[in-house]
Amino acid sequence: MQSAPIAMMDSGVGGLTVLKTALRTFPQEQFLFLGDEQHLPYGEKSPTAVRAIVVQSVLFLSASRPN
C-alpha cells in the first residue's frame, strides 16, 4: 500500500498549532500544510465560496505532493 501525506489547510495561522500537535502525535507521517491567508476569514464566506476555495487548495496540494 502506498503512503500519502496528510494535507491540512487553514485560513490563518491557528492551524500551525494543530499541525504541531499532529507532527508530535504522528511522527511517522508526512504532512502538507497550506496557510490560506489570501481568503481569510472563511466564516464570512458562503458555503459555495468556501467549497470553491477548498477545491482550489486541494488541487494545489495535490500538485505539490512529493512523489
Side-chain angles (χ1 to χ4, degrees):
M1 176 185 285
Q2 184 179 5
S3 179
I6 298 169
M8 301 175 74
M9 63 175 284
D10 184 61
S11 65
V13 295
L16 292 175
T17 303
V18 176
L19 176 62
K20 184 177 178 180
T21 299
L23 288 167
R24 276 195 312 261
T25 305
F26 304 103
Q28 71 283 4
E29 298 294 340
Q30 293 182 0
F31 291 87
L32 292 173
F33 181 82
L34 175 65
D36 180 21
E37 294 181 354
Q38 179 181 357
H39 298 104
L40 68 88
Y42 288 1
E44 297 177 359
K45 294 184 174 27
S46 70
T48 301
V50 173
R51 275 191 288 277
I53 293 166
V54 170
V55 168
Q56 180 182 16
S57 298
V58 167
L59 292 172
F60 175 79
L61 288 171
S62 294
S64 303
R65 182 179 161 203
N67 294 324

